[in-house]
Amino acid sequence: MRSDAVKVGFQRAPHRALLKALGLSDKDINKPFIGVVNSYTNVVPGHVHLKQVAEAVTAGIISAGGVPFEFNTIGICDGIAMGHNGMRYSLPSRELIADSVESMVLAHRFDGIVMITTCDKITPGMLMAAARLNIPAIMVTGGPMLSGTYKGKKVGTDSMFEAIGKVAAGKMTEEELKCLEDVACPTCGSCNGLFTANTMACVTEALGMSLPGCATPAAVSAQRMRIAKATGERIVGLVKEDLKPREIMTSNSFENAIMVDMALGGSTNTVLHVTAIANEAGVTLPLALFDQLSKRVSHITSMIPSGPYDMQDLNEAGGIPAVMKVLKDLLHLDSTTVTGKTVKENIASAVVNNPEVIRPLDNPVHKEGGIAVLFGNLAADGAVVKAAGISANMMLHSGPAKTFDSEEDAMNAILNKQIKKGDVVVIRYEGPKGGPGMREMLSPTASIAGMGLSESVALITDGRFSGATRGPCIGHVSPEAATGGPIGLVKDGDIIEIDVPNRKLNVKLSNEELAKRAKSWTAKEPSVKTGYLARYSQMVQPAHKGSTLKSA
């Protein structure tokens, strides 16, 4: 066992003495040592209940004959960090999480790890660590929160951000806003729709790194605790079998995960995260592959924020096993999973309980998958859009640019009603390097939706959009403005052409004009010059490479 390095032989007597100070017996010391990586914090609604999840996990480990050692890593709530400088730390925290897990596990020589996670950057950060460490590992996600109800409709975090635009447009009073605020988030758990946190939970299950049925049960359900206990039991089996993450996270498994993501119509952030996880696993995922798979797979679930169904509906309809059962002829069914069985074996008994929520392939929501990758003279290295969230009349759009060099400037213009029908809002210097940190920008997109402009106004950025975003919002534009990308050369009034069906994103300027502007372009002064973000800015790679850090 890997833990023999800290417990076997006379030279390890000091180590055993320290372990006995924790209450371990000689019998315990001979058992597998399991690290329990908990991202509990009482700052994040998706993580505030993870102490209870960890208790179930540790009970499972003990019952299966292992010894659990729990430690924590950080977790940032994107919703609370949204709309101010705190969001700059969200994506960079992914790298800190991976590094912290690596440090704890290798320092203490655990035989295997259970990763307890829920939200946007924590889940991919832990999966990156698992791929990097390549010791037996399994994940249990904390589950989604239940929807709130307001005036007979399902509501959640996205409803709150859109309500800001409604208040600004005079469509909602501040008293109504307060009533909505009180009911929008009724329980702990990740936000109720198919936003980034829940998308990553589904991707993790499809990848084979969590138990079947793990992604969708509510955070407050007994089903969640049973899955957590079963996960604790299973890690001991993984250690005994020495089944490691890189045997599970293969190129075929990543394709499975991407296809499930496309079928669900998940968050565009998964493109960044899946690319980063694959990089740690030694698998190359070019950006174009996401688009190729999107054209192969139909979008079969109409989930919040662009549809009526929430995670509870998806769970009751059969969850990810049922989605994969519908996609079975497209998937790599022989891929291994943490169960020790193949995908084919895992989904053999899966059933679609509600064909309105999980549609058959001959009656999809959209013929193609939920995410599209665009290229053109504005995005030579690509840009990403959640096609599942765009209405048919905005799939093709041409309009004048309204340029802003920060999210705050754009938000002020939106709330002051300076954006008109037909405009293309360009938000730049928000990329991984220029931000730094590639902020999610739910506030401007939700405000535009709340003001009733999502059917006539497009947004493009070298930053990111929240998983709660809907409408023609194109992110991850690469190269970014901070490195001299064409998005930084656009001027107010330039005509921008968006063609989602043909995967094009262009500004209507000649190559000569772009070259002329490039000669006079000067780099913008860095917005952050000290601390972690300054180091991150110097080391981060472009969005089309997953915004991972350059290797040493």
Side-chain angles (χ1 to χ4, degrees):
M1 291 191 291
R2 294 168 182 82
S3 60
D4 286 352
V6 297
K7 64 187 184 184
V8 172
F10 76 92
Q11 292 176 314
R12 295 296 181 255
H15 304 65
R16 292 193 294 272
L18 289 167
L19 291 167
K20 289 178 178 179
L22 301 174
L24 269 64
S25 66
D26 287 326
K27 185 177 180 181
D28 291 330
I29 290 173
N30 288 324
K31 297 176 181 177
F33 283 6
I34 308 298
V36 178
V37 191
N38 194 352
S39 54
Y40 161 79
T41 169
N42 66 2
V43 180
V44 186
H47 294 239
V48 71
H49 64 302
L50 295 187
K51 282 185 178 179
Q52 289 72 39
V53 174
E55 288 172 0
V57 167
T58 56
I61 292 170
I62 292 168
S63 70
V67 179
F69 295 91
E70 186 177 347
F71 64 92
N72 278 78
T73 188
I74 62 171
I76 289 174
C77 178
D78 280 18
I80 296 173
M82 195 75 68
H84 55 85
N85 278 337
M87 179 49 74
R88 299 188 193 282
Y89 287 89
S90 177
L91 182 60
S93 74
R94 186 187 70 183
E95 318 306 312
L96 288 176
I97 289 162
D99 289 349
S100 67
V101 175
E102 174 194 357
S103 300
M104 285 293 291
V105 171
L106 292 184
H108 298 98
R109 312 310 298 178
F110 297 127
D111 297 303
I113 51 173
V114 178
M115 301 166 288
I116 304 173
T117 174
T118 300
C119 290
D120 302 37
K121 310 310 165 300
I122 299 90
T123 300
M126 288 193 183
L127 284 173
M128 289 166 68
R132 186 186 303 173
L133 292 163
N134 203 33
I135 67 169
I138 188 170
M139 179 169 283
V140 56
T141 45
M145 75 170 57
L146 300 178
S147 294
T149 303
Y150 181 68
K151 295 185 177 181
K153 295 182 178 180
K154 290 177 182 176
V155 293
T157 311
D158 62 318
S159 309
M160 291 307 309
F161 281 94
E162 291 193 12
I164 295 170
K166 292 180 180 179
V167 172
K171 298 179 180 180
M172 175 182 280
T173 67
E174 291 195 35
E175 289 75 19
E176 289 174 314
L177 181 67
K178 172 63 166 60
C179 292
L180 177 60
E181 172 187 324
D182 289 341
V183 300
C185 300
T187 71
C188 62
S190 48
C191 299
N192 65 327
L194 198 66
F195 313 132
T196 307
N198 289 324
T199 305
M200 281 307 306
C202 296
V203 165
T204 300
E205 185 178 329
L207 188 58
M209 285 300 294
S210 62
L211 293 179
C214 180
T216 55
V220 294
S221 66
Q223 187 180 4
R224 173 61 48 197
M225 296 304 150
R226 292 196 297 270
I227 289 171
K229 186 174 182 180
T231 300
E233 292 172 343
R234 179 57 192 147
I235 187 59
V236 179
L238 285 167
V239 169
K240 292 177 179 177
E241 297 160 22
D242 200 26
L243 180 57
K244 297 185 285 292
R246 292 192 188 184
E247 297 169 58
I248 297 168
M249 291 193 277
T250 64
S251 58
N252 283 350
S253 295
F254 279 108
E255 289 194 6
N256 285 346
I258 293 168
M259 285 189 278
V260 168
D261 187 10
M262 297 301 170
L264 293 170
S267 167
T268 53
N269 285 317
T270 57
V271 176
L272 289 174
H273 299 324
V274 172
T275 301
I277 297 161
N279 179 65
E280 294 286 359
V283 175
T284 300
L285 294 180
L287 188 57
L289 176 63
F290 288 83
D291 201 58
Q292 291 168 14
L293 295 176
S294 184
K295 291 178 179 178
R296 188 187 306 173
V297 181
S298 296
H299 174 215
I300 60 172
T301 66
S302 187
M303 301 288 294
I304 292 171
S306 52
Y309 301 114
D310 64 9
M311 293 301 293
Q312 184 72 6
D313 295 322
L314 181 59
N315 186 59
E316 292 171 357
I320 300 308
V323 172
M324 297 182 80
K325 190 68 171 282
V326 173
L327 302 178
K328 66 182 187 301
D329 292 336
L330 301 170
L331 301 177
H332 302 285
L333 296 178
D334 58 349
S335 294
T336 301
T337 71
V338 288
T339 64
K341 301 177 181 178
T342 63
V343 169
K344 182 178 181 179
E345 292 172 302
N346 286 347
I347 67 173
S349 60
V351 176
V352 175
N353 299 318
N354 187 338
E356 293 298 316
V357 178
I358 303 174
R359 296 194 188 188
L361 289 175
D362 60 4
N363 182 33
V365 181
H366 296 105
K367 185 179 179 181
E368 294 185 354
I371 294 174
V373 180
L374 313 184
F375 293 91
N377 68 357
L378 263 183
D381 293 325
V384 180
V385 63
K386 188 174 183 176
I390 306 176
S391 63
N393 65 311
M394 287 298 287
M395 286 287 187
L396 292 168
H397 181 75
S398 178
K402 290 286 184 68
T403 61
F404 304 94
D405 287 353
S406 72
E407 176 188 2
E408 288 82 0
D409 289 348
M411 191 65 182
N412 288 335
I414 293 166
L415 295 182
N416 287 321
K417 302 180 181 178
Q418 296 171 15
I419 305 303
K420 308 301 180 184
K421 288 184 178 181
D423 285 347
V424 178
V425 176
V426 178
I427 309 175
R428 58 203 181 186
Y429 294 100
E430 291 286 4
K433 181 179 179 65
M438 206 178 184
R439 288 192 286 182
E440 280 187 352
M441 286 175 278
L442 178 56
S443 295
T445 61
S447 295
I448 280 178
M451 296 173 79
L453 295 173
S454 63
E455 295 294 306
S456 60
V457 170
L459 295 92
I460 69 170
T461 182
D462 52 9
R464 300 182 295 131
F465 291 121
S466 166
T469 293
R470 60 187 175 94
C473 303
I474 301 167
H476 309 194
V477 172
S478 185
E480 63 175 291
T483 62
I487 190 173
L489 307 179
V490 175
K491 296 179 181 179
D492 286 352
D494 289 343
I495 301 301
I496 292 178
E497 298 176 328
I498 299 167
D499 183 346
V500 176
N502 290 306
R503 307 301 199 255
K504 299 295 184 183
L505 177 63
N506 290 296
V507 59
K508 202 169 181 182
L509 296 172
S510 66
N511 291 337
E512 291 77 15
E513 176 61 21
L514 284 171
K516 179 182 175 182
R517 293 186 187 185
K519 286 181 180 179
S520 61
W521 176 84
T522 55
K524 184 182 176 184
E525 188 75 10
S527 58
V528 178
K529 299 180 181 179
T530 60
Y532 174 56
L533 287 183
R535 297 196 303 274
Y536 177 87
S537 178
Q538 293 167 5
M539 298 175 65
V540 70
Q541 298 188 95
H544 68 281
K545 294 185 177 181
S547 296
T548 54
L549 299 183
K550 297 173 185 175
S551 57

